[in-house]
């Protein structure tokens, strides 16, 4: 029965052999075994929710990047590359690297020194209950919503590609995550994410390696793309962004720099607790900072296994992929199938199982990230302050374990809800992004400007969130509004997102500053350990140069600049 | 780390070793019994190379991070 589900129906794009099936099953056995093995090490709140704050830089860093590398991220960006070309690579470079390095060098000391359990926890210390509650509730709701949407999307893809039963995919994958997170908390999630990191890379790297051999290297690939899509530029990152119409995405460089590189990127990488939680679990501040830099390095390399397969699909597939809304046509393959099709093209039995395991591992690492972040925020930022203040530590651990299971069940419910209202996916993703963007303005002003007041923290955050909602609704009701929101009626979804993020951040910052000027700030002694200038940072001078985070951050920054110049 | 976990690297090494054996074995089998629908670039026998690489990488991790090693 299980084999019948796994091996797929006759309509599946790919068919798995018995050796592929063994590889997939072994993976499930190991992640569950790891979870139960680690259960004995997670008895206190600090151990369950923060992995005992004992992670090395490498484990924290690989987990940090793995939690972000979900299956939707992998398949979605490969699909977007097929649609928009190498421009999508900005999500990995300017849309990530500066923000991650900023998190490491500037923000991590404050997160780490104040010993908070979460980003909303930092807002509580800095601004008080109002800002914490707003961020915690919006984060918890959005995390669960996104988790369910990711789950459903993954199940749909597995059904289309492998013929797996949609309910089977949802229940088996998510219950596996629930069990290992429930057993070992963040520790289990982090250990599994490191394992998943290896599987994702080794499983997906087959495609670019064999693909480049087939096309005769980069030059051969570019030549084939130009032959297949004459007159379209898919291979330049900056040179086509001087106008809105010069590139497939319909975006101007200002949108990429200020919307993507500043608003979305800094919002996500510096304040989304899903990723920040991983490095907050490091054993000391230097490990937290180094782990973040290690994450930045691997983030910079992810285009190898995501963007390059999308470009190779443009070069070698004998047919053109189509948008999702045309996926029902006979023999039509959609953009989302780009990466699975490339896996099928090159992967023989065994390797195909490894590739599918990589996709499943990606989904599970992303979902575990959502579940552990939700569990921590729910327990420490909602349940503890509002429902049961003074319980024993063991009570909160127990709440965390059950909350992991509950979070997964609610996510499954969301997945079924989405199944009936599939257009929610598009809307919810946009809304999710913009819940986080204004948080960056609130956090960074709180960290760097001691004059920022508790009232400003709350009202700035609320104004940013409402702005993002209002702009989104405006464009939905009146499509002509796109020319005001995104400066061009040619802007595609992704371009619209980056400009909306920019507006949301601007409103957040303006309101926060304005309210600060008219309200009373906290006294300085209450801001120690939370704000720049009032926080004592441990000097790094006694460490050799090659062990300092700043050294490796500089090396990553140089690599970032070189890559942008190389693919200009 | 303060706790005496079996290092995560050992688990990773174990899985890669087993996967390496399976993929290498499958690749060698494909040499003698070619599949009816070969993948593109099948003449490279990428499964053999990939499986062997995974096996060696996994084995190195298993040996380096095996439990009860004196210098851990």
């Amino acid at each position: 029965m299980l084999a019948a589900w796994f091996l797929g129906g006759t309509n599946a794009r790919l068919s798995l052999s018995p050796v592929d099936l063994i590889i997939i099953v072994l993976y499930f056995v190991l992640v569950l075994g790891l979870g139960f093995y680690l259960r004995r090490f997670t008895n206190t709140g600090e151990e369950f929710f923060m992995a005992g704050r004992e992670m090395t830089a490498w484990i924290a860093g690989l987990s940090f990047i793995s939690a972000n590398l979900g299956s939707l991220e992998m398949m979605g960006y490969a699909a977007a590359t097929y649609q928009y070309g190498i421009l999508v690579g900005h999500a990995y470079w300017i849309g990530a690297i500066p923000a991650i390095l900023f998190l490491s060098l500037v923000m991590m000391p404050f997160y780490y020194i104040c010993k908070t359990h979460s980003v909303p926890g930092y807002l509580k210390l800095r601004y008080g209950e109002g800002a914490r509650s707003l961020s915690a509730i919006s984060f918890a709701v959005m995390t669960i919503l996104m988790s369910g949407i990711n789950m459903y999307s993954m199940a749909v893809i597995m059904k289309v590609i492998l013929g797996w039963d949609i309910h089977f995919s949802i229940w088996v994958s998510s219950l596996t995550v629930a069990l290992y997170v429930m057993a070992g908390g963040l520790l289990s999630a982090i250990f599994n994410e490191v394992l998943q990191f290896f599987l994702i890379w080794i499983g997906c790297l087959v495609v670019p390696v064999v693909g480049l051999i087939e096309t005769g290297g980069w030059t051969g690939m570019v030549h084939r793309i130009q032959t297949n899509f004459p007159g379209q530029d898919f291979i330049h990152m900056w040179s086509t962004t001087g106008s809105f119409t010069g590139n497939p995405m319909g975006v101007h460089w200002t949108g990429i720099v200020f919307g993507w590189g500043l608003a979305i990127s800094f919002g996500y990488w510096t304040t989304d607790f899903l990723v920040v939680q991983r490095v907050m679990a490091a054993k000391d501040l230097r490990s937290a900072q180094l782990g973040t830099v290690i994450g930045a390095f691997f983030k910079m390399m992810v285009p190898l296994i995501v963007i390059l397969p999308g470009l190779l699909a443009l070069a070698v597939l004998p047919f053109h992929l189509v948008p999702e809304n045309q996926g029902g046509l006979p023999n039509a393959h959609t953009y989302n199938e780009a990466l699975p099709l490339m896996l099928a093209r090159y992967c023989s039995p065994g390797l195909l199982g490894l590739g599918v395991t990589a996709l499943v591992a990606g989904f599970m690492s992303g979902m575990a990230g959502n579940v552990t972040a939700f569990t921590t925020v729910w327990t420490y930022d909602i349940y503890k302050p509002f429902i049961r203040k003074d319980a024993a530590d063991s009570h909160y651990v127990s709440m965390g374990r059950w909350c992991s299971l509950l979070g997964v069940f609610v996510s499954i419910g969301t997945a079924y809800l989405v199944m009936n209202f599939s257009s929610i996916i598009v809307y919810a993703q946009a809304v999710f992004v913009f819940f986080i963007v204004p948080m960056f303005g609130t956090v960074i002003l709180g960290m760097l400007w001691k004059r920022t007041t508790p009232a400003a923290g709350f009202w700035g955050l609320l104004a940013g969130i409402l702005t993002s909602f209002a702009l989104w609704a405006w464009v939905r009701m009146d499509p002509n509004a796109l020319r005001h929101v995104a400066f061009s009626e040619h802007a595609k979804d992704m371009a619209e997102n980056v400009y909306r993020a920019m507006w949301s951040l601007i409103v957040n910052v303006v309101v926060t500053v304005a309210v600060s000027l008219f309200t009373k700030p906290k006294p300085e002694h209450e801001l120690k350990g939370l704000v720049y200038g009032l926080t004592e940072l441990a000097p790094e001078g006694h460490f050799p140069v090659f062990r300092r985070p700043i050294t490796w951050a500089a090396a990553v920054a140089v690599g970032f600049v070189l890559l942008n110049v190389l693919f200009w | 780390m303060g706790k005496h976990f079996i290092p995560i690297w050992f688990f990773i090494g174990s899985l890669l070793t087993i996967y390496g054996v399976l993929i290498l074995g499958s690749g060698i089998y494909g040499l003698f019994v070619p599949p009816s629908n070969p993948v593109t670039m099948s003449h490279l026998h990428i499964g053999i190379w990939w499986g062997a690489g995974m096996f060696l990488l996994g084995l190195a991790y298993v040996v380096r991070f095996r439990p009860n090693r004196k210098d851990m």
Side-chain angles (χ1 to χ4, degrees):
Chain A
M1 184 89 170
L2 278 178
W5 259 325
F6 267 127
L7 290 170
T10 49
N11 293 328
R13 306 280 200 232
L14 313 181
S15 57
L16 298 179
S17 66
V19 71
D20 297 319
L21 182 60
I22 292 170
I23 284 173
I24 295 168
V25 171
L26 271 178
Y27 164 75
F28 276 91
V29 170
L30 184 64
V31 292
L32 280 175
L34 256 180
F36 285 104
Y37 166 68
L38 293 169
R39 190 184 195 286
R40 72 190 76 169
F41 302 106
T42 53
N43 298 313
T44 68
E46 195 72 0
E47 289 166 349
F48 185 83
F49 295 106
M50 298 306 292
R53 296 193 202 257
E54 290 185 325
M55 299 298 104
T56 62
W58 274 98
I59 291 178
L62 297 186
S63 166
F64 170 76
I65 217 62
S66 187
N68 163 258
L69 199 58
S71 58
L72 270 186
E73 160 110 0
M74 292 152 61
M75 286 188 271
Y77 277 101
T81 303
Y82 189 93
Q83 195 175 358
Y84 300 124
I86 200 174
L87 270 179
V88 177
H90 285 304
Y92 294 91
W93 293 346
I94 195 168
I97 304 306
I100 300 175
L101 297 182
F102 188 79
L103 169 68
S104 168
L105 301 178
V106 179
M107 296 175 76
M108 189 49 68
F110 300 103
Y111 282 140
Y112 201 86
I113 288 170
C114 73
K115 290 289 175 195
T116 182
H117 288 92
S118 65
V119 174
Y122 174 82
L123 294 180
K124 158 75 169 62
L125 296 171
R126 178 62 182 85
Y127 294 118
E129 211 54 80
R132 187 250 283 265
S133 306
L134 182 58
S135 66
I137 291 169
S138 60
F139 180 79
V141 171
M142 285 297 107
T143 302
I144 288 297
L145 186 61
M146 278 308 295
S147 178
I149 289 167
N150 284 344
M151 192 188 295
Y152 170 69
S153 306
M154 180 246 183
V156 167
I157 289 167
M158 289 304 176
K159 179 179 169 55
V160 172
I161 306 300
L162 296 166
W164 288 1
D165 179 84
I166 205 162
H167 307 285
F168 176 79
S169 293
I170 286 178
W171 283 92
V172 169
S173 304
S174 47
L175 284 182
T176 305
V177 173
L179 285 175
Y180 77 68
V181 173
M182 196 176 171
L186 182 63
L187 182 62
S188 175
I190 286 179
F191 270 38
N192 271 308
E193 281 158 6
V194 176
L195 170 71
Q196 287 149 357
F197 173 88
F198 276 78
L199 293 178
I200 290 168
W201 270 90
I202 295 175
C204 291
L205 203 56
V206 178
V207 171
V209 169
V210 184
L212 284 179
I213 294 173
E214 182 187 1
T215 57
W218 176 265
T219 311
M221 181 191 76
V222 170
H223 177 71
R224 288 197 191 200
I225 293 175
Q226 287 167 342
T227 307
N228 290 347
F229 298 88
Q232 297 185 61
D233 191 327
F234 286 102
I235 51 159
H236 290 102
M237 296 199 69
W238 291 103
S239 63
T240 60
T241 58
S243 73
F244 287 96
T245 52
N247 59 79
M249 197 185 287
V251 68
H252 190 259
W253 68 266
T254 51
I256 293 174
V257 173
F258 297 110
W260 214 339
L262 181 64
I264 289 181
S265 167
F266 277 74
Y268 178 76
W269 287 103
T270 65
T271 59
D272 189 330
F273 186 52
L274 187 156
V275 285
V276 174
Q277 184 180 28
R278 270 75 194 138
V279 274
M280 281 168 74
K283 63 182 178 181
D284 52 38
L285 175 58
R286 196 181 66 87
S287 299
Q289 291 183 292
L290 264 179
T292 313
V293 175
I294 289 168
F297 172 76
F298 283 105
K299 182 70 182 175
M300 198 160 68
M301 296 296 115
V302 170
L304 265 178
I305 56 169
V306 174
I307 305 296
L308 196 45
L311 291 174
L312 285 163
L314 285 166
V316 301
L317 289 181
F319 43 80
H320 286 193
L321 304 183
V322 299
E324 293 307 303
N325 57 11
Q326 297 172 28
L329 298 174
N331 299 320
H333 296 270
T334 66
Y335 294 144
N336 273 337
E337 294 176 52
L339 184 57
L341 282 170
M342 295 303 285
L343 283 170
R345 183 178 179 85
Y346 297 129
C347 292
S348 50
L351 281 177
L352 188 57
L354 185 65
V356 172
T357 302
L359 297 182
V360 174
F363 161 74
M364 287 168 71
S365 64
M367 179 159 185
N370 279 309
V371 172
T372 49
F374 167 77
T375 300
T376 307
V377 168
W378 165 264
T379 306
Y380 280 109
D381 297 304
I382 298 174
Y383 181 76
K384 191 173 180 182
F386 298 115
I387 299 174
R388 192 159 172 193
K389 270 188 180 149
D390 301 312
D393 185 59
S394 58
H395 173 79
Y396 295 120
V397 174
S398 180
M399 167 56 64
R401 290 195 202 281
W402 287 109
C403 190
S404 306
L405 192 61
L406 180 71
V408 168
F409 277 122
V410 178
S411 298
I412 290 173
T414 311
Y416 280 98
L417 189 70
V418 173
M419 213 179 281
N420 294 318
F421 303 98
S422 58
S423 58
I424 287 179
I425 294 175
V426 178
Y427 301 146
Q429 282 174 335
V431 172
F432 177 75
V433 168
F434 299 126
F435 258 117
I436 299 172
V437 168
M439 192 123 76
F440 169 65
T442 304
V443 172
I444 196 64
L445 281 171
M447 281 182 176
L448 300 183
W449 191 34
K450 63 184 179 186
R451 182 71 181 77
T452 317
T453 67
F458 175 78
W459 289 110
L461 184 57
L462 186 62
I465 290 172
L466 291 178
T467 300
S468 65
F469 268 114
L471 291 178
W472 170 79
W474 187 22
V475 175
R476 293 290 131 348
M477 288 188 290
D478 175 14
N480 289 326
L482 195 59
R483 76 176 67 170
H484 304 295
V485 173
F487 300 111
S488 166
E489 64 268 29
H490 302 294
K492 302 287 191 295
D493 286 348
M494 207 172 260
E496 183 196 339
N497 283 345
V498 297
Y499 280 104
R500 200 161 49 211
M502 191 176 76
W503 290 121
S504 167
L505 183 60
I506 288 171
V507 169
N508 167 267
V509 170
V510 168
V511 171
T512 306
V513 171
V515 175
S516 289
L517 295 176
F518 293 100
T519 49
K520 189 180 168 190
K522 274 186 164 184
E524 288 194 0
H525 69 270
E526 289 183 21
L527 298 177
K528 284 187 178 165
L530 300 170
V531 180
Y532 186 77
L534 301 173
T535 302
E536 200 172 321
L537 300 176
E540 289 185 342
H542 58 290
F543 287 115
V545 171
F546 69 90
R547 294 188 66 193
R548 295 180 199 169
I550 184 82
T551 307
W552 293 105
V556 171
V558 169
F560 162 74
V561 172
L562 289 177
L563 283 171
N564 276 282
V565 172
L566 191 62
F567 293 98
W568 189 269
Chain B
M1 273 183 265
K3 300 256 169 39
H4 295 290
F5 307 124
I6 297 173
I8 180 59
W9 314 113
F10 174 77
F11 291 108
I12 291 169
S14 303
L15 190 66
L16 293 188
T17 305
I18 297 169
Y19 277 4
V21 169
L22 288 170
I23 293 169
L24 176 61
S26 184
I28 292 171
Y29 178 78
L31 267 183
F32 298 102
V33 186
S36 51
N37 295 310
V39 295
T40 307
M41 308 296 285
S42 58
H43 63 278
L44 293 176
H45 300 291
I46 194 73
I48 293 177
W49 297 106
W50 218 256
M54 286 177 73
F55 174 74
L56 292 175
L57 180 66
L59 205 58
Y61 269 70
V62 167
V63 172
R64 171 70 182 82
F65 296 102
R66 68 187 181 278
N68 301 323
R69 230 176 90 106
K70 291 277 189 279
D71 59 347
M72 291 288 299

